[in-house]
Amino acid sequence: MKKSSLEDVAKALGVSKTLVSMVLNGKATQYGISKKTEERVWKMVEEMGFKPNATARKLRTGKSNVLGLIVADISNPFYAKIARSVEDAANKKGYHMLICSSDENPKREADLISILADQHQVDGLIVSSTLDDPQMFDKLTLQKTPFLLLDREFASGLFPSVTVDNRKGAEMLVQHLLDKGVNNIGLITLSPSHLSTLKDRITGYKDALKKNKIELKDALLREVSFENLREDIIKEVDFLLSAPHKVRAIFALNNLVALYALEAIHHKGLKIPQDVALVSFDDIELFRFTSPPITAISQPLEQLGEHAMEMLFGLMNNKDKEGVENGTSTNGHRVVLPVELMVRNSCG
Amino acid sequence: MKKSSLEDVAKALGVSKTLVSMVLNGKATQYGISKKTEERVWKMVEEMGFKPNATARKLRTGKSNVLGLIVADISNPFYAKIARSVEDAANKKGYHMLICSSDENPKREADLISILADQHQVDGLIVSSTLDDPQMFDKLTLQKTPFLLLDREFASGLFPSVTVDNRKGAEMLVQHLLDKGVNNIGLITLSPSHLSTLKDRITGYKDALKKNKIELKDALLREVSFENLREDIIKEVDFLLSAPHKVRAIFALNNLVALYALEAIHHKGLKIPQDVALVSFDDIELFRFTSPPITAISQPLEQLGEHAMEMLFGLMNNKDKEGVENGTSTNGHRVVLPVELMVRNSCG
DNA sequence: AACAAAATCTAAACCGGTTTTGTTTACTTT
DNA sequence: AAAGTAAACAAAACCGGTTTAGATTTTGTT
């Protein structure tokens, strides 16, 4: 049983495929097709179970109703949740998602962008980029591929983006620790260290210290590598908790770091928050269930998805009009969403 | 800056697009194209940054290098991990994934299957199905769309599938409880109750009781609805823990149920495992971090993905040969992977 | 130098839709 | 009754590749 084509339907009715196509696209009236014929078409389409071939349609019209999403790792609950919210928002408009994981590998991400944009030519692209160099996105801009940076952006601020207030969030977290009387705070970030999220969080950390007139000790800012997370974190937790630093709190810059830090602390037989406090940027469900539950910055993941889609559709629709309108580029559109401090019991 | 096409490249070189196409597909030698010409083509392709249009290619060849994956919810860590392992296996063969969430909604899933198979015509489809009726899959079989059931299968066993030994896993879990001296065990399953995974796990529960000559009390098998999980679970946990049943352990049939049950138990001010034991089918990272860590059945998620891809590729390759070969249908291929009991501290 | 064979490359059809342009037929209008 | 005008539909071009069926050039042979 082969699938039936437009032509099959047309032949079965003794009409042209033009006519069938017009009916299916709701242009029957516009092209003066009689009500009677239109009904015959619909009936036959139903009867033969005809479904238009999206590939053929895409080739002619340039529209596939497929969007690309590139994240570091779809199995990380943070991105999984984002993906879901993006998917839901996309579905509402009749779109589906090609989802890819870059594994924080710039080469891989560049390849994925090219595959999705140049080869598959998705209608739009959402990237939580691990790239250092914005040239891929300059290229997308030139090619007029509608795209959007999600969660992470570039320093230039030249591209459309939907992000979260990382700087403010980090400051809130550190301020919370200071309010609890903890002021010797180690920070664990991770490579690739050029990511805007990480840089902004570190800035937030410094902001808080400065506002409270606390001296910044560079030795307390530790960086672990994404490829060697677990071991590196064990090492750094050890470093921070031993003399001479004897830190009283650890600020994990994302949920993965927090998780491994938690393990490392437990493994050393230390108690949270008695021996050391632990806070995390990125709240994940897990943190409500750990012992103790971990204080973290919660990001509005559903809103990230919704805003991203809204903006991306804006870009997609403006694509044609661009240049015809005025000089106001659709670039430069940026949304920064507020975050929330979830106070739990990991800070005493 | 518009993307360049095959024809652009051909014109720039003063050759036919046939030739360029052949070179790009590695058929230069086969079609007797001179080494010199071939090199000129590669150079120009590189220079012009030509990337073949996957849509046009798909229309002619029928191959898109895109696979579909339908799961209940990509934000559920269980499916997120599966998606990732499937993605990795697919990538290795040059494929990418269209990922959709059905939300355990049969209508939605049927729509998604049709969109992916009939409209987008993905090269292959992997479904963790929430459907009760196998007719959609009969249709796919007739249409010769290569597909595979993942995690959940149908009673008939007629479709290719990669699953996990749910029955045995549940039995192991219950046996573990019995070994610990806990023998009044409540079970919480969820709707839709026709899912093979849930049914098999319930059978496993019964197997264990039977082997240990323990009377099965139907009242201890509780079902909560997917749409109303949290509240239903609070209610059922309450029911099981109160007179007259006063259950000593709760067997949560998946990770979501376990999570909410854990919350409900904590909320009642009860201690695990002193007051009640808790075990879960589906191990998720979170269970290592809860207090206490939860004993669970761990499923080999990476292997699920790998086996799924291997089988799907087998089906995709046999598609053409089918009928030419012999009567041995590729249907009926089924893989059942073993599970592992992760003993932690939630059973005393 | 003539002709077959081999080597190299091209024109055109095709995939299945959408869109542009063209053609019938019936109906007015004068 | 001839000309003009809608109304209703169809033919053909197009999207950008791949593939089939030729076409042309080069080489080899006598």
Side-chain angles (χ1 to χ4, degrees):
Chain A
M1 199 184 72
K2 345 138 208 181
K3 289 154 201 153
S4 45
S5 70
L6 241 201
E7 187 143 31
D8 296 336
V9 176
K11 271 183 183 158
L13 284 168
V15 299
S16 71
K17 56 182 194 164
T18 309
L19 191 152
V20 180
S21 170
M22 285 165 166
V23 170
L24 263 78
N25 290 305
K27 297 177 177 170
T29 316
Q30 176 186 341
Y31 285 102
I33 287 156
S34 72
K35 272 275 163 282
K36 203 170 49 184
T37 310
E38 182 175 358
E39 271 165 32
R40 286 206 310 138
V41 170
W42 281 117
K43 201 167 152 238
M44 184 59 79
V45 163
E46 172 71 18
E47 196 175 304
M48 298 178 70
F50 170 76
K51 305 277 172 179
N53 178 328
T55 307
R57 179 177 275 177
K58 156 92 186 161
L59 185 57
R60 179 69 229 242
T61 64
K63 269 208 60 176
S64 60
N65 279 31
V66 170
L67 304 175
L69 174 66
I70 299 175
V71 296
D73 178 8
I74 189 64
S75 74
N76 179 326
F78 175 71
Y79 291 112
K81 289 259 190 260
I82 283 190
R84 183 60 210 270
S85 77
V86 168
E87 185 196 346
D88 281 349
N91 280 181
K92 277 184 193 142
K93 309 238 183 188
Y95 285 78
H96 294 276
M97 308 297 309
L98 254 167
I99 301 178
C100 305
S101 303
S102 70
D103 253 334
E104 304 285 11
N105 176 340
K107 167 87 173 68
R108 206 171 137 68
E109 180 184 323
D111 286 348
L112 287 171
I113 291 176
S114 177
I115 289 171
L116 295 186
D118 300 334
Q119 307 197 194
H120 288 295
Q121 299 187 192
V122 292
D123 295 346
L125 188 55
I126 297 180
V127 187
S128 180
S129 181
T130 193
L131 291 177
D132 196 2
D133 183 335
Q135 82 165 52
M136 277 309 284
F137 298 104
D138 285 331
K139 221 172 115 190
L140 289 181
T141 307
L142 280 174
Q143 287 178 190
K144 308 214 174 170
T145 300
F147 76 95
L148 177 77
L149 299 175
L150 188 59
D151 181 47
R152 303 164 173 183
E153 61 185 337
F154 286 92
S156 70
L158 281 175
F159 306 115
S161 65
V162 176
T163 58
V164 129
D165 199 338
N166 287 287
R167 183 170 175 175
K168 186 73 180 301
E171 191 193 321
M172 287 160 69
L173 216 40
V174 173
Q175 186 62 55
H176 173 72
L177 284 168
L178 297 175
D179 290 347
K180 289 275 184 178
V182 183
N183 64 5
N184 195 23
I185 305 167
L187 175 155
I188 303 181
T189 181
L190 68 173
S191 69
S193 57
H194 60 80
L195 300 181
S196 66
T197 45
L198 302 179
K199 289 205 288 198
D200 290 352
R201 289 170 199 175
I202 293 177
T203 306
Y205 168 90
K206 293 177 180 171
D207 285 351
L209 294 191
K210 191 173 294 171
K211 278 197 190 160
N212 292 269
K213 305 207 164 62
I214 295 173
E215 186 200 0
L216 169 68
K217 295 180 205 152
D218 282 327
L220 299 189
L221 306 186
R222 316 302 301 173
E223 178 175 325
V224 296
S225 111
F226 186 76
E227 286 76 32
N228 222 23
L229 262 191
R230 183 179 217 125
E231 293 144 45
D232 277 12
I233 288 176
I234 290 174
K235 212 177 304 168
E236 295 302 343
V237 164
D238 216 59
F239 174 86
L240 287 170
L241 291 177
S242 320
H245 303 302
K246 294 197 170 168
V247 129
R248 291 302 330 284
I250 289 178
F251 174 15
L253 244 59
N254 78 3
N255 67 58
L256 281 177
V257 173
L259 224 49
Y260 288 123
L262 178 65
E263 254 188 336
I265 293 170
H266 277 166
H267 199 258
K268 285 174 73 77
L270 298 178
K271 292 272 177 236
I272 300 173
Q274 295 84 342
D275 299 318
V276 57
L278 176 65
V279 298
S280 167
F281 208 101
D282 259 19
D283 188 29
I284 58 177
E285 194 168 33
L286 202 157
F287 293 158
R288 287 189 4 241
F289 294 93
T290 51
S291 70
I294 294 177
T295 294
I297 287 293
S298 160
Q299 309 186 41
L301 303 182
E302 300 77 21
Q303 284 184 54
L304 270 180
E306 284 164 21
H307 279 270
M309 268 305 136
E310 197 178 342
M311 188 182 292
L312 186 60
F313 281 116
L315 295 170
M316 285 162 54
N317 292 332
N318 270 13
K319 196 186 165 193
D320 329 303
K321 298 169 201 160
E322 220 170 343
V324 180
E325 302 253 301
N326 52 32
T328 322
S329 165
T330 48
N331 293 351
H333 283 194
R334 298 166 74 201
V335 167
V336 179
L337 300 174
V339 296
E340 195 181 348
L341 175 65
M342 308 299 288
V343 176
R344 291 196 270 256
N345 307 317
S346 65
C347 305
Chain B
M1 200 184 72
K2 344 137 206 179
K3 289 155 200 151
S4 46
S5 70
L6 242 201
E7 189 143 30
D8 296 336
V9 176
K11 273 184 182 157
L13 284 168
V15 300
S16 71
K17 54 181 194 167
T18 309
L19 192 152
V20 180
S21 169
M22 285 166 168
V23 170
L24 263 79
N25 289 305
K27 297 178 177 169
T29 316
Q30 176 186 341
Y31 285 102
I33 287 156
S34 72
K35 272 275 163 284
K36 204 172 49 186
T37 309
E38 182 176 357
E39 269 165 34
R40 287 207 307 137
V41 170
W42 282 117
K43 200 166 151 241
M44 183 59 78
V45 163
E46 171 70 18
E47 196 175 304
M48 299 179 71
F50 169 75
K51 305 278 173 179
N53 178 327
T55 307
R57 180 176 273 175
K58 156 91 186 163
L59 185 57
R60 180 68 228 244
T61 66
K63 269 207 60 176
S64 60
N65 280 31
V66 170
L67 304 176
L69 173 65
I70 301 176
V71 295
D73 178 9
I74 189 62
S75 75
N76 179 326
F78 175 71
Y79 291 112
K81 288 259 189 259
I82 283 190
R84 183 60 210 269
S85 76
V86 167
E87 186 197 346
D88 281 348
N91 279 182
K92 277 183 193 143
K93 310 237 181 191
Y95 285 77
H96 295 276
M97 308 298 310
L98 255 169
I99 301 178
C100 305
S101 303
S102 70
D103 253 334
E104 305 284 10
N105 177 340
K107 168 86 173 68
R108 205 170 137 70
E109 181 185 325
D111 286 348
L112 287 171
I113 291 176
S114 177
I115 288 170
L116 295 186
D118 300 335
Q119 307 196 193
H120 289 294
Q121 300 188 189
V122 292
D123 295 345
L125 188 54
I126 297 180
V127 188
S128 180
S129 180
T130 193
L131 291 176
D132 196 2
D133 183 336
Q135 82 166 50
M136 276 310 282
F137 298 103
D138 286 330
K139 221 170 114 191
L140 289 181
T141 307
L142 280 174
Q143 287 177 190
K144 308 214 175 172
T145 301
F147 77 95
L148 176 77
L149 299 175
L150 187 60
D151 180 49
R152 303 164 173 183
E153 62 185 338
F154 285 93
S156 70
L158 281 175
F159 307 115
S161 65
V162 176
T163 57
V164 127
D165 199 338
N166 287 287
R167 184 169 172 177
K168 185 73 180 303
E171 193 194 319
M172 286 160 70
L173 216 40
V174 173
Q175 186 64 55
H176 173 72
L177 284 169
L178 296 174
D179 290 348
K180 289 277 183 179
V182 183
N183 63 6
N184 195 24
I185 306 167
L187 176 155
I188 303 182
T189 182
L190 67 173
S191 68
S193 56
H194 61 80
L195 300 181
S196 65
T197 45
L198 303 180
K199 289 205 289 198
D200 291 351
R201 290 170 197 175
I202 293 176
T203 306
Y205 168 91
K206 292 178 180 171
D207 286 350
L209 295 191
K210 192 174 292 172
K211 279 197 188 161
N212 290 271
K213 304 207 166 65
I214 295 173
E215 187 200 359
L216 169 68
K217 293 182 205 150
D218 282 327
L220 299 189
L221 306 186
R222 315 302 301 172
E223 179 174 326
V224 296
S225 111
F226 186 78
E227 286 76 34
N228 222 23
L229 262 191
R230 182 177 220 126
E231 293 145 45
D232 278 13
I233 289 176
I234 291 173
K235 213 178 301 167
E236 295 301 344
V237 164
D238 216 62
F239 173 86
L240 287 169
L241 292 176
S242 322
H245 303 301
K246 294 196 171 170
V247 131
R248 292 299 333 281
I250 289 177
F251 175 13
L253 244 58
N254 77 4
N255 67 58
L256 281 178
V257 173
L259 225 49
Y260 288 123
L262 177 67
E263 255 188 336
I265 292 169
H266 277 167
H267 199 258
K268 284 174 73 79
L270 298 178
K271 291 273 175 231
I272 299 173
Q274 295 84 340
D275 298 319
V276 58
L278 175 66
V279 298
S280 166
F281 209 101
D282 261 19
D283 189 28
I284 57 177
E285 192 167 34
L286 200 157
F287 293 159
R288 289 191 1 245
F289 294 93
T290 52
S291 69
I294 294 176
T295 294
I297 287 293
S298 159
Q299 308 187 41
L301 303 182
E302 300 79 19
Q303 286 186 51
L304 270 180
E306 284 164 22
H307 279 270
M309 267 305 136
E310 197 177 342
M311 187 182 292
L312 186 61
F313 281 117
L315 295 169
M316 284 160 55
N317 292 332
N318 270 12
K319 197 186 165 194
D320 329 302
K321 298 169 198 160
E322 220 172 344
V324 180
E325 303 251 301
N326 53 31
T328 322
S329 165
T330 48
N331 292 351
H333 283 195
R334 297 166 75 201
V335 167
V336 179
L337 299 173
V339 296
E340 195 182 348
L341 176 64
M342 307 300 287
V343 176
R344 290 195 269 258
N345 308 317
S346 65
C347 304

